[in-house]
Every structure is written in structure tokens, then in C-alpha cells.
Amino acid sequence: MINKPAEEKRVAINVIDMVAGYGEDVILNHINFKVYEGEIFVILGGSGCGKSTLLKHLIGLNHPISGNIVINGIDITSNRESNLQQVLRECGILFQSGALFSSMTVAENVALPMQEHTDLPASSIDNIVRMKLAQVSLTGYEDHLPSEISGGMKKRAGLARAMALNPKVLFFDEPSAGLDPITSAELDQLIIRLNGSYNTTMVIVTHELPSIFSVAHRVIMLDKRVKKIIAEGQPQYLRDNSQNPFVRQFFNREIESDNDLLID
């Protein structure tokens, strides 16, 4: 895949001067970044840096203290309820556990967004469900309950459900969490394949270095000490060239020295 210069790309997500937190506790302080159409964009950082907080704001679960979040040209922080619902119809979300409904079959879980948000007849929904499950290599598991499939298969079923409405943007919350290395690598390859086939913009929250180096076109790194973005770019470049000692330590799995100073 040949990456276009940033100025030629359409902005899918634009976070502008956003302050986020809980009550008086500020977690992210005046952060700015853009995600471009068709990009696999990874949000990373150490524990407690605000990765999950940022994701919750991007998908509308939380509202920022100040600043703006613009997704596909719509500001979800302005006229919030109306704009948020409009945007979310064009987004899919894969939660960490897969978040499948335990009493519903795999097929019923994937069908649910279409039943809720479209007027498609049942036969069309059934066809789309089979197609989505085929895309994530789950053909033949339509009638299985979540308790009857493995953790990796639950993630893939959750991904099929997230893709049910052909979203422009997919959000992933720690997609490799709880998976063995082989299953995690298989999920990484699935993400790469879907991105290449559909040019879907993907935003992934993770701290798994193998996945970051495998899938990410670009990353931002958050740091809880300054409550800001301390690095942005291609992960391989940041690993080898960042002037920030904490960034180098993170990407090279090194223990921080007491003499290292954080460069803001």
C-alpha cells in the first residue's frame, strides 16, 4: 500500500484541542491529532495514560470537558445527540471481549445492527450475515452460541458484527487482549486484509508491540505524566529515531533509567 502525503488525504477524524477527564481530574490536556481516510491508526501508551478514555470520547460514550471531535465532517461535540447518532451509524466498534450477546447465536449477533438500523428483509440480512462471517473465516459457525467458540473466534464474530453496516470507520479496543501469539497474529492479518480490501479507516487502542509494528500505518503515544501526546508517526521510525527517551524505551521494551528525562 502506497501512502499518500498527508495533505492529499481526506481527514476522517479530527480531534481539536480536546480536554478530557472525570470531574476535576484531567486525563488528557489539550490534545490535537488527525486520522486520515483508509489509515490504520493506533493509540498507544503506558498504563493509565488515557488510551481508553480517548476511545470512549471518540465513540461518544463520554463528552469532552472542552474541544471538538469531528468524524467524517460532523462535530459530535456540537448538537451532540443528533450528530452523534448520525456518525455512529457509519462507525463500527469491536470491544475488548467481543461483547457478544450470550443468549444469541453468532449469526443473530451479526444480524442485530441490520435489524435495528435498516429496513432490509430477513432474507437479505441472512445473506449479508453469511458474507460477513465468511470475511472473518467463520463460515459454518452461524448457529453456535458465544460459549461454544474460542476467544479468537469471539473477536472475529464481534468484528463481523462491527462491519455489518459497512462502516467508514472501525474502532478496536485492545483487539489482541487475551489471545495467544498465533491467534493474535492471525487477527492482525485479518485487520490488514480488511483495511486493504475496503479502505476502511481503523482506530486501534493497544499496547501490544508485535501488533503495533504489524498493522499500524501511524501511531500517537500518550503519556500520563504530561497528559498529552508525546510522539506521533510511523512506529518503526519512532522506535529508531525518537529523541524522547520514554518513547524509545517503550518501543524497545527497555526499563526506564532514573536519569532519563521526559522531553515534552
Side-chain angles (χ1 to χ4, degrees):
M1 180 179 178
I2 299 176
N3 291 328
K4 297 180 182 178
E7 61 271 15
E8 296 181 14
K9 297 179 183 177
R10 179 180 178 274
V11 175
I13 300 172
N14 192 7
V15 175
I16 306 165
D17 205 29
M18 189 186 79
V19 178
Y22 306 98
E24 296 182 357
D25 185 15
V26 173
I27 307 297
L28 299 167
N29 195 20
H30 296 286
I31 65 168
N32 296 271
F33 65 90
K34 295 177 181 178
V35 181
Y36 296 100
E37 189 177 77
E39 187 172 36
I40 302 179
F41 184 87
V42 172
I43 300 167
L44 57 90
S47 297
C49 69
K51 300 187 298 294
S52 295
T53 295
L54 178 53
L55 180 63
K56 289 176 182 177
H57 283 74
L58 292 176
I59 64 177
L61 290 179
N62 291 350
H63 192 266
I65 296 170
S66 63
N68 301 87
I69 302 169
V70 181
I71 300 179
N72 291 327
I74 299 173
D75 188 346
I76 66 172
T77 56
S78 173
N79 190 17
R80 186 167 183 259
E81 201 57 41
S82 173
N83 286 354
L84 181 59
Q85 292 305 313
Q86 182 178 348
V87 166
L88 288 181
R89 282 194 291 270
E90 298 181 344
C91 295
I93 305 165
L94 175 59
F95 294 100
Q96 187 173 138
S97 64
L100 300 176
F101 292 99
S102 60
S103 61
M104 301 171 68
T105 66
V106 168
E108 288 169 343
N109 269 280
V110 177
L112 188 59
M114 290 177 280
Q115 293 168 344
E116 293 288 328
H117 298 292
T118 76
D119 296 321
L120 291 171
S123 59
S124 296
I125 291 176
D126 289 343
N127 289 334
I128 295 171
V129 167
R130 285 195 291 272
M131 180 181 68
K132 297 300 180 184
L133 289 175
Q135 289 172 350
V136 298
S137 302
L138 284 178
T139 298
Y141 290 91
E142 292 85 353
D143 296 327
H144 284 62
L145 292 171
S147 61
E148 298 171 333
I149 59 177
S150 69
M153 294 167 76
K154 290 177 185 176
K155 294 286 182 80
R156 285 186 277 138
L159 180 54
R161 185 178 62 187
M163 298 190 305
L165 297 176
N166 297 320
K168 294 180 179 179
V169 181
L170 274 173
F171 295 97
F172 298 77
D173 182 15
E174 299 282 2
S176 299
L179 301 181
D180 65 79
I182 294 175
T183 304
S184 179
E186 290 172 346
L187 183 59
D188 289 343
Q189 290 305 307
L190 175 60
I191 289 171
I192 293 169
R193 177 164 56 83
L194 293 173
N195 172 260
S197 297
Y198 301 102
N199 198 41
T200 305
T201 306
M202 297 180 171
V203 177
I204 304 174
V205 170
T206 186
H207 62 274
E208 300 286 346
L209 284 177
S211 293
I212 292 166
F213 287 122
S214 176
V215 307
H217 297 154
R218 195 162 52 95
V219 306
I220 56 171
M221 184 171 183
L222 306 174
D223 188 276
K224 65 181 179 181
R225 291 171 288 190
V226 295
K227 303 179 180 181
K228 292 182 178 180
I229 297 169
I230 59 169
E232 180 175 345
Q234 296 179 333
Q236 292 83 356
Y237 181 85
L238 295 175
R239 176 193 61 198
D240 299 334
N241 298 285
S242 176
Q243 298 302 303
N244 188 314
F246 181 71
V247 174
R248 292 197 307 272
Q249 287 156 0
F250 183 94
F251 281 111
N252 291 286
R253 294 175 58 88
E254 296 173 348
I255 297 174
E256 185 177 6
S257 166
D258 291 338
N259 295 324
D260 285 330
L261 298 176
L262 183 66
I263 300 173
D264 186 5

